[in-house]
Amino acid sequence: MTDGWDEYASSWDDRPDSKLYAEKAFASLVAQTDLRGVGWTSKRVLDFGCGTGLLAQKVAPYVGELIAVDTSEKMIAVLQSKEIPNVVAVHGNILGADHKSDDTDLGAGFDLIYASSVCGFLPDYEGAVNEFARLLRSGGHFIQWDWQASDGEEFGLSESKIRRVLESAKFRSIRVEQVFSLEADEQTMPVLIGAGIV
Ligand SMILES: C[S@@+](CC[C@H](N)C(=O)[O-])C[C@H]1O[C@@H](n2cnc3c(N)ncnc32)[C@H](O)[C@@H]1O
């Protein structure tokens, strides 16, 4: 089956906004987790909705193992072609009822799960966050970045919705705020970070 994101895969890494988004997300990830500290070099990380791995390739040098998962076969193929030594690229859907019977059962015990510009596109954002909380080890971090929803628009996620969902999934040390913005189509588009510890 063709995935709607497949058509973006071959050009994704050439898009200035994709690259800038990954750079800014990485900077905020480092600030949020002290990722460059020695403690991270043995850690297990999940990049959910990794795309072509623009963010994964920045994170990988600082962690032990990075599992990168995406439902777009073509996005995953681009990431696999980068041959990053400690990145395992997995095509499949780890959400939903039937994934545990196939090879996308990744096991639990992640120290960090992050999702860069993914959660706002999910049909069941709340269900996904509950699953991330289950997959994290105690003390593990979840971090998401999403376009901030404007009033009355369906696109993106609002600060209040992210906070409500993280609280409901029992995350602690919750942080939800605008963390950067990008210029697109003569508009300033704010991006929210949502972060918590399980
Ligand atoms: C806007 S792109 C972001 C890609 C990448 N995180 C980045 O920042 O460059 C959204 C990605 O989420 C993926 N995606 C959407 N739903 C997904 C799901 N249920 N499981 C895994 N990946 C998903 C899409 O295939 C697409 O690659």
Side-chain angles (χ1 to χ4, degrees):
M1 196 175 82
T2 309
D3 184 279
W5 287 97
D6 276 352
E7 65 183 280
Y8 298 99
S10 62
S11 59
W12 192 256
D13 285 11
D14 299 324
R15 295 163 62 121
D17 54 340
S18 304
K19 286 192 278 197
L20 203 52
Y21 199 112
E23 276 165 28
K24 290 180 179 253
F26 180 67
S28 66
L29 176 61
V30 170
Q32 181 73 20
T33 62
D34 190 26
L35 185 74
R36 291 191 167 117
V38 284
W40 280 97
T41 53
S42 60
K43 303 289 188 191
R44 189 160 184 257
V45 176
L46 174 64
D47 182 331
F48 178 79
C50 58
T52 59
L54 281 176
L55 186 50
Q57 66 198 56
K58 296 181 190 303
V59 173
Y62 300 101
V63 302
E65 180 184 37
L66 196 156
I67 313 284
V69 63
D70 201 290
T71 43
S72 160
E73 196 169 4
K74 291 194 174 168
M75 289 279 194
I76 284 292
V78 174
L79 174 54
Q80 279 166 340
S81 73
K82 295 179 181 174
E83 298 185 352
I84 307 167
N86 59 338
V87 172
V88 180
V90 178
H91 169 235
N93 191 357
I94 64 165
L95 304 176
D98 56 0
H99 82 271
K100 290 187 180 66
S101 59
D102 64 26
D103 61 3
T104 58
D105 187 3
L106 309 173
F110 288 97
D111 300 287
L112 164 67
I113 297 176
Y114 65 82
S116 175
S117 189
V118 186
C119 292
F121 298 104
L122 297 174
D124 181 10
Y125 162 54
E126 185 158 9
V129 169
N130 282 319
E131 178 65 359
F132 300 147
R134 192 187 71 79
L135 291 173
L136 284 165
R137 70 163 181 78
S138 177
H141 295 255
F142 170 62
I143 303 180
Q144 65 180 85
W145 298 267
D146 280 278
W147 299 111
Q148 182 167 18
S150 310
D151 286 343
E153 282 190 21
E154 298 271 315
F155 181 76
L157 291 174
S158 68
E159 208 171 314
S160 58
K161 180 163 187 180
I162 295 174
R163 183 170 293 281
R164 180 181 63 71
V165 166
L166 294 184
E167 282 174 357
S168 156
K170 303 280 187 281
F171 280 96
R172 55 190 172 81
S173 304
I174 291 172
R175 174 188 173 204
V176 186
E177 63 187 355
Q178 188 187 322
V179 68
F180 59 84
S181 61
L182 295 186
E183 304 298 322
D185 300 331
E186 296 178 6
Q187 278 184 337
T188 300
M189 297 185 58
V191 174
L192 296 174
I193 187 171
I197 295 175
V198 77

